[in-house]
Amino acid sequence: MAQSAFSKTCRKVATTDAAGQPNGWLVELYSERDGFTQGLRGQVYATIIAPHTAKGFHVHAKAYGHFTCVSGSVRSVVVARDGDRRQTQLDDEDFRTVKVWPREAHCMFNESDTPATIIKFRTPARSPKDPEQHTIAPQA
């Protein structure tokens, strides 16, 4: 698997039924073995990004985020604490996971005509009692 400090290639595996007939596929998004997710404590959820909209820009003071697009296509933009700007295209043809560290601004742009489904793993899990997310000015 190709991996950098902020993204990794996710392995797609064809699956079969008990008779050996193809019945779909799976994509391993997060594993304690991949050295990418700082352990698996946290929260995993799906979010839908409507066509021609964006989710973000915001910053989490404490949370790491790991984002994988499983349906559709989005452009991920992450602005690191040192100002370095990283853009990654995420889609259901070339599965990738993008990592966002605490205090990094991030946004997902869906510039297509179809909804995009994102699976997010965050650690620690979100707590309504700890409002550690802060919205910032949009940056296309």
Side-chain angles (χ1 to χ4, degrees), residues 5-41:
F6 61 89
S7 78
K8 73 168 192 152
T9 300
C10 300
R11 187 170 57 114
K12 182 177 178 180
V13 179
T15 59
T16 58
D17 63 17
Q21 297 301 308
N23 65 356
W25 50 270
L26 66 82
V27 173
E28 180 180 274
L29 304 177
Y30 315 110
S31 169
E32 63 187 23
R33 297 178 313 279
D34 66 14
F36 192 71
T37 54
Q38 293 82 41
L40 294 177
R41 296 184 52 118

Short mmCIF file of all heavy atoms in Angstrom, two decimals, residues 5-41:
data_model
loop_
_atom_site.label_atom_id
_atom_site.label_comp_id
_atom_site.label_asym_id
_atom_site.label_seq_id
_atom_site.Cartn_x
_atom_site.Cartn_y
_atom_site.Cartn_z
N ALA A 5 2.58 10.56 5.06
CA ALA A 5 2.17 11.00 6.39
C ALA A 5 0.72 11.43 6.44
O ALA A 5 0.11 11.42 7.49
CB ALA A 5 3.07 12.15 6.84
N PHE A 6 0.13 11.81 5.28
CA PHE A 6 -1.23 12.33 5.31
C PHE A 6 -2.22 11.61 4.41
O PHE A 6 -3.39 11.97 4.38
CB PHE A 6 -1.26 13.83 5.00
CG PHE A 6 -0.72 14.18 3.64
CD1 PHE A 6 -1.55 14.23 2.55
CD2 PHE A 6 0.61 14.49 3.47
CE1 PHE A 6 -1.07 14.55 1.29
CE2 PHE A 6 1.11 14.81 2.22
CZ PHE A 6 0.27 14.84 1.14
N SER A 7 -1.81 10.60 3.67
CA SER A 7 -2.79 9.79 2.94
C SER A 7 -2.22 8.40 2.70
O SER A 7 -1.02 8.19 2.74
CB SER A 7 -3.19 10.44 1.61
OG SER A 7 -2.21 10.24 0.61
N LYS A 8 -3.13 7.45 2.48
CA LYS A 8 -2.70 6.09 2.18
C LYS A 8 -3.65 5.50 1.16
O LYS A 8 -4.82 5.88 1.08
CB LYS A 8 -2.68 5.23 3.44
CG LYS A 8 -4.06 4.87 3.95
CD LYS A 8 -4.00 3.79 5.02
CE LYS A 8 -5.39 3.26 5.29
NZ LYS A 8 -5.41 1.92 5.74
N THR A 9 -3.17 4.57 0.38
CA THR A 9 -4.00 3.84 -0.56
C THR A 9 -4.74 2.76 0.22
O THR A 9 -4.15 2.07 1.05
CB THR A 9 -3.14 3.19 -1.67
OG1 THR A 9 -2.45 4.23 -2.35
CG2 THR A 9 -3.99 2.39 -2.63
N CYS A 10 -6.03 2.63 -0.04
CA CYS A 10 -6.84 1.62 0.64
C CYS A 10 -7.01 0.42 -0.28
O CYS A 10 -7.28 0.57 -1.46
CB CYS A 10 -8.22 2.21 1.01
SG CYS A 10 -8.10 3.62 2.10
N ARG A 11 -6.87 -0.74 0.28
CA ARG A 11 -6.90 -1.97 -0.50
C ARG A 11 -8.33 -2.40 -0.78
O ARG A 11 -9.13 -2.56 0.12
CB ARG A 11 -6.16 -3.06 0.29
CG ARG A 11 -5.97 -4.34 -0.47
CD ARG A 11 -5.03 -5.24 0.29
NE ARG A 11 -5.51 -5.51 1.63
CZ ARG A 11 -5.89 -6.72 2.05
NH1 ARG A 11 -5.84 -7.74 1.24
NH2 ARG A 11 -6.31 -6.88 3.28
N LYS A 12 -8.66 -2.60 -2.06
CA LYS A 12 -9.96 -3.11 -2.49
C LYS A 12 -9.82 -4.60 -2.73
O LYS A 12 -8.91 -5.04 -3.43
CB LYS A 12 -10.42 -2.40 -3.75
CG LYS A 12 -11.78 -2.83 -4.24
CD LYS A 12 -12.20 -2.02 -5.47
CE LYS A 12 -13.53 -2.45 -6.02
NZ LYS A 12 -13.91 -1.65 -7.20
N VAL A 13 -10.74 -5.40 -2.16
CA VAL A 13 -10.67 -6.85 -2.25
C VAL A 13 -11.99 -7.38 -2.79
O VAL A 13 -13.06 -7.08 -2.24
CB VAL A 13 -10.40 -7.48 -0.86
CG1 VAL A 13 -10.36 -8.99 -0.94
CG2 VAL A 13 -9.12 -6.92 -0.26
N ALA A 14 -11.94 -8.16 -3.87
CA ALA A 14 -13.14 -8.80 -4.41
C ALA A 14 -13.60 -9.87 -3.43
O ALA A 14 -12.77 -10.57 -2.83
CB ALA A 14 -12.86 -9.42 -5.77
N THR A 15 -14.91 -10.00 -3.24
CA THR A 15 -15.46 -11.01 -2.33
C THR A 15 -16.31 -12.01 -3.11
O THR A 15 -16.80 -11.72 -4.20
CB THR A 15 -16.30 -10.35 -1.22
OG1 THR A 15 -17.38 -9.61 -1.81
CG2 THR A 15 -15.46 -9.43 -0.36
N THR A 16 -16.46 -13.20 -2.52
CA THR A 16 -17.27 -14.25 -3.14
C THR A 16 -18.17 -14.88 -2.08
O THR A 16 -17.90 -14.78 -0.89
CB THR A 16 -16.36 -15.35 -3.74
OG1 THR A 16 -15.54 -15.89 -2.72
CG2 THR A 16 -15.49 -14.79 -4.86
N ASP A 17 -19.21 -15.55 -2.56
CA ASP A 17 -20.10 -16.26 -1.64
C ASP A 17 -19.53 -17.64 -1.34
O ASP A 17 -18.43 -17.99 -1.80
CB ASP A 17 -21.53 -16.32 -2.20
CG ASP A 17 -21.63 -17.10 -3.50
OD1 ASP A 17 -20.71 -17.88 -3.85
OD2 ASP A 17 -22.66 -16.94 -4.19
N ALA A 18 -20.28 -18.44 -0.59
CA ALA A 18 -19.81 -19.77 -0.19
C ALA A 18 -19.54 -20.68 -1.38
O ALA A 18 -18.71 -21.59 -1.29
CB ALA A 18 -20.81 -20.42 0.75
N ALA A 19 -20.21 -20.42 -2.51
CA ALA A 19 -20.00 -21.23 -3.71
C ALA A 19 -18.87 -20.69 -4.58
O ALA A 19 -18.60 -21.21 -5.66
CB ALA A 19 -21.29 -21.29 -4.52
N GLY A 20 -18.22 -19.62 -4.13
CA GLY A 20 -17.13 -19.04 -4.90
C GLY A 20 -17.56 -18.05 -5.96
O GLY A 20 -16.74 -17.63 -6.78
N GLN A 21 -18.83 -17.67 -5.97
CA GLN A 21 -19.34 -16.72 -6.96
C GLN A 21 -19.11 -15.28 -6.47
O GLN A 21 -19.33 -14.97 -5.30
CB GLN A 21 -20.83 -16.95 -7.20
CG GLN A 21 -21.15 -18.31 -7.78
CD GLN A 21 -20.45 -18.50 -9.12
OE1 GLN A 21 -20.55 -17.68 -10.02
NE2 GLN A 21 -19.71 -19.61 -9.23
N PRO A 22 -18.68 -14.39 -7.36
CA PRO A 22 -18.47 -12.99 -6.97
C PRO A 22 -19.76 -12.39 -6.40
O PRO A 22 -20.85 -12.62 -6.94
CB PRO A 22 -18.09 -12.31 -8.28
CG PRO A 22 -17.60 -13.39 -9.17
CD PRO A 22 -18.38 -14.62 -8.77
N ASN A 23 -19.63 -11.67 -5.29
CA ASN A 23 -20.80 -11.02 -4.70
C ASN A 23 -20.52 -9.58 -4.28
O ASN A 23 -21.28 -8.98 -3.53
CB ASN A 23 -21.35 -11.83 -3.52
CG ASN A 23 -20.39 -11.89 -2.35
OD1 ASN A 23 -19.26 -11.40 -2.42
ND2 ASN A 23 -20.83 -12.51 -1.27
N GLY A 24 -19.44 -9.03 -4.75
CA GLY A 24 -19.14 -7.63 -4.45
C GLY A 24 -17.69 -7.44 -4.06
O GLY A 24 -16.81 -8.15 -4.55
N TRP A 25 -17.47 -6.50 -3.16
CA TRP A 25 -16.11 -6.18 -2.74
C TRP A 25 -16.13 -5.48 -1.39
O TRP A 25 -17.18 -5.08 -0.91
CB TRP A 25 -15.40 -5.31 -3.79
CG TRP A 25 -16.19 -4.10 -4.24
CD1 TRP A 25 -17.06 -4.03 -5.29
CD2 TRP A 25 -16.19 -2.80 -3.66
NE1 TRP A 25 -17.60 -2.77 -5.40
CE2 TRP A 25 -17.07 -1.99 -4.40
CE3 TRP A 25 -15.53 -2.23 -2.58
CZ2 TRP A 25 -17.30 -0.65 -4.10
CZ3 TRP A 25 -15.75 -0.88 -2.28
CH2 TRP A 25 -16.63 -0.12 -3.05
N LEU A 26 -14.96 -5.36 -0.79
CA LEU A 26 -14.80 -4.59 0.44
C LEU A 26 -13.55 -3.74 0.28
O LEU A 26 -12.67 -4.03 -0.53
CB LEU A 26 -14.71 -5.48 1.68
CG LEU A 26 -13.50 -6.41 1.83
CD1 LEU A 26 -12.28 -5.68 2.40
CD2 LEU A 26 -13.86 -7.57 2.72
N VAL A 27 -13.50 -2.67 1.05
CA VAL A 27 -12.32 -1.81 1.10
C VAL A 27 -11.93 -1.67 2.57
O VAL A 27 -12.76 -1.27 3.38
CB VAL A 27 -12.59 -0.42 0.49
CG1 VAL A 27 -11.40 0.51 0.72
CG2 VAL A 27 -12.89 -0.54 -0.98
N GLU A 28 -10.70 -2.05 2.88
CA GLU A 28 -10.21 -1.86 4.24
C GLU A 28 -9.84 -0.40 4.41
O GLU A 28 -8.95 0.12 3.73
CB GLU A 28 -8.99 -2.73 4.50
CG GLU A 28 -8.45 -2.57 5.91
CD GLU A 28 -7.23 -3.43 6.17
OE1 GLU A 28 -7.41 -4.60 6.54
OE2 GLU A 28 -6.12 -2.90 5.98
N LEU A 29 -10.56 0.28 5.28
CA LEU A 29 -10.33 1.71 5.49
C LEU A 29 -9.33 1.96 6.61
O LEU A 29 -8.43 2.77 6.48
CB LEU A 29 -11.65 2.41 5.80
CG LEU A 29 -12.76 2.23 4.76
CD1 LEU A 29 -14.03 2.91 5.24
CD2 LEU A 29 -12.33 2.75 3.42
N TYR A 30 -9.52 1.27 7.73
CA TYR A 30 -8.71 1.50 8.91
C TYR A 30 -8.38 0.17 9.55
O TYR A 30 -9.23 -0.70 9.63
CB TYR A 30 -9.47 2.35 9.94
CG TYR A 30 -10.17 3.52 9.32
CD1 TYR A 30 -11.55 3.57 9.23
CD2 TYR A 30 -9.44 4.57 8.78
CE1 TYR A 30 -12.19 4.64 8.65
CE2 TYR A 30 -10.08 5.64 8.19
CZ TYR A 30 -11.45 5.68 8.12
OH TYR A 30 -12.08 6.73 7.54
N SER A 31 -7.15 0.04 9.99
CA SER A 31 -6.74 -1.19 10.65
C SER A 31 -5.69 -0.86 11.68
O SER A 31 -4.81 -0.02 11.43
CB SER A 31 -6.17 -2.17 9.63
OG SER A 31 -5.55 -3.26 10.29
N GLU A 32 -5.74 -1.52 12.81
CA GLU A 32 -4.70 -1.29 13.80
C GLU A 32 -3.34 -1.70 13.27
O GLU A 32 -2.30 -1.30 13.78
CB GLU A 32 -5.01 -2.05 15.09
CG GLU A 32 -5.03 -3.54 14.93
CD GLU A 32 -5.52 -4.26 16.17
OE1 GLU A 32 -6.23 -3.65 16.98
OE2 GLU A 32 -5.19 -5.44 16.32
N ARG A 33 -3.30 -2.46 12.19
CA ARG A 33 -2.05 -2.90 11.59
C ARG A 33 -1.45 -1.90 10.62
O ARG A 33 -0.31 -2.06 10.20
CB ARG A 33 -2.26 -4.23 10.87
CG ARG A 33 -2.67 -5.36 11.78
CD ARG A 33 -2.92 -6.66 11.00
NE ARG A 33 -3.74 -6.51 9.81
CZ ARG A 33 -5.07 -6.44 9.79
NH1 ARG A 33 -5.76 -6.53 10.91
NH2 ARG A 33 -5.73 -6.31 8.65
N ASP A 34 -2.19 -0.87 10.20
CA ASP A 34 -1.68 0.00 9.15
C ASP A 34 -0.77 1.13 9.64
O ASP A 34 -0.16 1.83 8.86
CB ASP A 34 -2.81 0.56 8.29
CG ASP A 34 -3.76 1.50 9.02
OD1 ASP A 34 -3.45 1.96 10.13
OD2 ASP A 34 -4.83 1.78 8.45
N GLY A 35 -0.67 1.31 10.97
CA GLY A 35 0.19 2.35 11.50
C GLY A 35 -0.24 3.76 11.13
O GLY A 35 0.52 4.71 11.22
N PHE A 36 -1.48 3.93 10.73
CA PHE A 36 -1.97 5.20 10.20
C PHE A 36 -2.99 5.87 11.09
O PHE A 36 -3.18 7.06 11.01
CB PHE A 36 -2.58 4.93 8.81
CG PHE A 36 -2.88 6.14 7.98
CD1 PHE A 36 -1.86 6.90 7.42
CD2 PHE A 36 -4.18 6.51 7.75
CE1 PHE A 36 -2.14 8.00 6.65
CE2 PHE A 36 -4.48 7.61 6.97
CZ PHE A 36 -3.45 8.36 6.42
N THR A 37 -3.66 5.12 11.95
CA THR A 37 -4.80 5.67 12.68
C THR A 37 -4.58 5.87 14.18
O THR A 37 -5.54 6.08 14.91
CB THR A 37 -6.04 4.78 12.48
OG1 THR A 37 -5.70 3.44 12.84
CG2 THR A 37 -6.53 4.81 11.07
N GLN A 38 -3.35 5.85 14.64
CA GLN A 38 -3.03 6.07 16.05
C GLN A 38 -3.85 5.18 16.97
O GLN A 38 -4.29 5.61 18.03
CB GLN A 38 -3.27 7.54 16.46
CG GLN A 38 -2.36 8.55 15.83
CD GLN A 38 -2.81 8.93 14.45
OE1 GLN A 38 -3.99 9.12 14.19
NE2 GLN A 38 -1.88 9.03 13.54
N GLY A 39 -4.09 3.95 16.62
CA GLY A 39 -4.97 3.08 17.39
C GLY A 39 -6.40 3.28 16.91
O GLY A 39 -6.70 4.23 16.20
N LEU A 40 -7.28 2.41 17.29
CA LEU A 40 -8.65 2.46 16.76
C LEU A 40 -9.67 3.03 17.73
O LEU A 40 -10.86 2.93 17.50
CB LEU A 40 -9.08 1.07 16.29
CG LEU A 40 -8.28 0.55 15.11
CD1 LEU A 40 -8.73 -0.86 14.75
CD2 LEU A 40 -8.44 1.46 13.90
N ARG A 41 -9.25 3.62 18.82
CA ARG A 41 -10.21 4.25 19.73
C ARG A 41 -10.76 5.48 19.04
O ARG A 41 -10.04 6.26 18.45
CB ARG A 41 -9.52 4.65 21.02
CG ARG A 41 -9.00 3.46 21.81
CD ARG A 41 -8.43 3.93 23.10
NE ARG A 41 -9.41 4.77 23.76
CZ ARG A 41 -9.97 4.53 24.93
NH1 ARG A 41 -9.60 3.47 25.60
NH2 ARG A 41 -10.86 5.32 25.46
#
